[in-house]
Amino acid sequence: MTTTVRHFLTDLDLTQAEQAEVLDLAEAMKKDKYGYKPYAGPQTVAVFFDKTSTRTRVSFAAGIAELGGATLIINSAESQLGHKESISDSAKVLARMVSTIVWRTYAQSGLEEMAENSSVPVINALSDDYHPCQLLADLLTVREHKGSLAGLSMAYLGDAANNMANSYLLAGVTAGMHVRIAGPEGYLPAADIIAAAEARAAETGGSVLVTTDAAAALAGADVVATDTWVSMGQEDEKAERLELFRAYAVDAPAMAQADKDAVVLHCLPAYRGYEISADVIDGPQSVVFDEAENRVHAQKAIMGWLLAKSGLADVAGVSQER
Ligand code: CP
C-alpha cells in the first residue's frame, strides 16, 4: 500500500480524533523532552520565512533540535523561492534534501502548491488565512488549564477577519468547542470559513457564533482570546484600525462578562493598551506565556505525527497507515 504524504496547511487538515492524537503526543513530548528522535541522523528541516517572526522561528528550531534534527532557517528573500524559481520546482528540489518543509508566507495557494509537489510534509507556519500551529499550542494550553476541550466556550474579540480568527474558529470547532467570534461589521470571517466551521461543528458537537456584539461573545466564556489589531502588512491602516476595534478590547470590563475562571490567550506579540490591557495580559487569568512555550511542544508533535502518518518515521503513540 502506498502511503499518502500528510501536510498541515489549515486547521481542518486534522479531524477531531487526529487533533486529539496530536495534542496527546504534544503532552507526552512535553513530559519527555528529549525522548523522541524522528529526525535522528540528523535529518534537516527547511524553515522559510517571508514575514518576520520570533516565536515561530525559535520554537521550530528548538523543537527540531529536540527531535534529533537540524534546522535550516531561510529568509525567503535571500533564496530563489517564489520569485526566481517556481514553488513547484522548489518543492521537488527541497524534498530531495530535507525531511520536512515549514513555510511562513502570504498566500495560502503557495503552501498548497508546495504541498502538491512535495514528497515530504509541508507545514503552514502562518499564512494570510491561517495560523494552525499557533492553534495547536493554544488548544494544548487550554487543555492543560481546563482539563478538556469539547463543550468549552471560546470567545475571540477584535480583528475577526484575520488568520487567527479563522484558525480559532476552525480549530476550536474541530475540538468540539463553542466558538464565538466578535468584531466590527466588515471585519468578520469570510462566508466560506464560517460555512466550513459550521460543517465541522456539526460533526464534533461544537458550535459557531459570529457577531458584532462583543458582549454576546463574552457571556460566560471559558476562554477569551484576541490578537493584534494591525497584522503584518496592514501598518498603513493603523490609525483607522485602532479606532475601529476599540469596542473589542480585552480589558477588565470585558473579562467581567466572561466566566470568573476564564483563561486569556494571546498569540503574541501583544500591544498593551490596544487589543488587550496590561492588567489582563499580566494578570492571573492570562496563560499567554504557557501558550508561547507550548509552540515548541505542539510543533514537535505535529512534525512527528505527520512523519509517522506519512510512513516516514516511527513515533511512539502514533498509529501508521502503511
Ligand atoms: N505568535 C507568533 O506566530 O509569533 P511570531 O510572529 O513571533 O512567530
Side-chain angles (χ1 to χ4, degrees), residues 23-289:
L23 295 178
D24 288 346
L25 183 60
E27 191 180 304
M29 287 177 160
K30 187 169 180 174
K31 284 190 186 126
D32 186 9
K33 202 170 171 181
Y34 303 106
Y36 294 78
K37 301 289 178 195
Y39 289 129
Q43 299 170 46
T44 302
V45 177
V47 188
F48 285 87
F49 288 92
D50 300 1
K51 301 182 180 183
T52 55
S53 167
T54 296
R55 270 149 296 276
T56 305
R57 182 180 171 129
V58 175
S59 58
F60 267 106
I64 292 160
E66 289 170 17
L67 294 176
T71 308
L72 188 57
I73 299 271
I74 303 154
N75 175 353
S76 304
E78 294 168 0
S79 77
Q80 323 287 18
L81 176 62
H83 53 111
K84 290 187 176 173
E85 186 170 27
S86 69
I87 294 169
S88 58
D89 279 359
S90 299
K92 289 169 193 161
V93 170
L94 288 165
R96 287 171 179 242
M97 298 178 177
V98 303
S99 294
T100 304
I101 300 165
V102 179
W103 191 11
R104 168 169 286 195
T105 188
Y106 294 88
Q108 187 69 18
S109 58
L111 282 156
E112 288 163 8
E113 188 177 348
M114 183 75 88
E116 278 160 20
N117 290 281
S118 173
S119 54
V120 299
V122 175
I123 296 175
N124 179 356
L126 180 148
S127 66
D128 287 346
D129 294 340
Y130 309 104
H131 198 356
C133 289
Q134 180 68 56
L135 257 291
L136 288 179
D138 287 30
L139 294 181
L140 179 63
T141 308
V142 173
R143 212 172 73 155
E144 286 172 347
H145 285 270
K146 293 286 181 188
S148 61
L149 296 173
L152 293 180
S153 53
M154 179 160 69
Y156 170 91
L157 269 62
D159 180 1
N162 72 9
N163 46 15
M164 283 302 300
N166 290 344
S167 280
Y168 274 116
L169 195 46
L170 298 175
V173 295
T174 296
M177 299 174 83
H178 304 294
V179 186
R180 308 160 180 177
I181 303 284
E185 201 66 62
Y187 294 85
L188 295 170
D192 62 328
I193 299 283
I194 297 171
E198 286 172 343
R200 179 57 65 92
E203 297 168 10
T204 65
S207 67
V208 174
L209 173 69
V210 175
T211 177
T212 56
D213 182 358
L218 284 164
D222 299 298
V223 181
V224 178
T226 187
D227 185 25
T228 178
W229 291 340
V230 187
S231 292
M232 288 178 252
Q234 297 172 337
E235 290 78 6
D236 291 349
E237 304 166 28
K238 184 172 177 181
E240 177 192 339
R241 284 177 161 268
L242 297 189
E243 194 53 41
L244 193 63
F245 295 121
R246 197 176 301 279
Y248 300 90
V250 174
D251 52 16
M255 289 308 299
Q257 299 171 64
D259 185 81
K260 67 176 177 37
D261 296 321
V263 294
V264 174
L265 298 173
H266 191 308
C267 68
L268 306 177
Y271 300 89
R272 288 168 174 77
Y274 294 108
E275 77 274 7
I276 193 161
S277 60
D279 58 332
V280 170
I281 195 168
D282 299 319
Q285 289 174 276
S286 171
V287 293
V288 302
F289 296 109

